[in-house]
Amino acid sequence: YTIWEGTVIGVCNGAGDFNQSVCGACGNSVEIQHNTVKVLYCHMTSGSITVSVGQRVARAQRIGTMGTSGYST
């Protein structure tokens, strides 16, 4: 869920659990510009991301499911 309203400026999806080869150490992720702050939501479950680049999101909007993709423990 997002912490504030904003605009999606980056999405990477398709990395399996603990897989860094597709999306790097952050794994499946969504980056959102919230006014002057950029927030990167990392380690999401592959295929769960529900937003795309350029999309506006509301505060507390569901953007995907937390998982263990990328370099997570």
Side-chain angles (χ1 to χ4, degrees), residues 4-72:
W4 300 303
E5 66 179 29
T7 302
V8 178
I9 59 172
V11 172
C12 190
N13 199 6
D17 289 350
F18 308 107
N19 180 344
Q20 297 179 48
S21 65
V22 177
C23 298
C26 188
N28 299 307
S29 59
V30 175
E31 186 173 15
I32 299 177
Q33 181 78 48
H34 300 284
N35 293 320
T36 61
V37 177
K38 291 180 184 176
V39 177
L40 185 58
Y41 300 85
C42 297
H43 310 298
M44 301 175 85
T45 301
S46 183
S48 73
I49 295 173
T50 60
V51 295
S52 57
V53 172
Q55 182 177 339
R56 293 280 303 159
V57 293
R59 181 179 177 272
Q61 180 176 331
R62 183 179 183 278
I63 58 172
T65 303
M66 291 307 301
T68 56
S69 61
Y71 187 61
S72 63

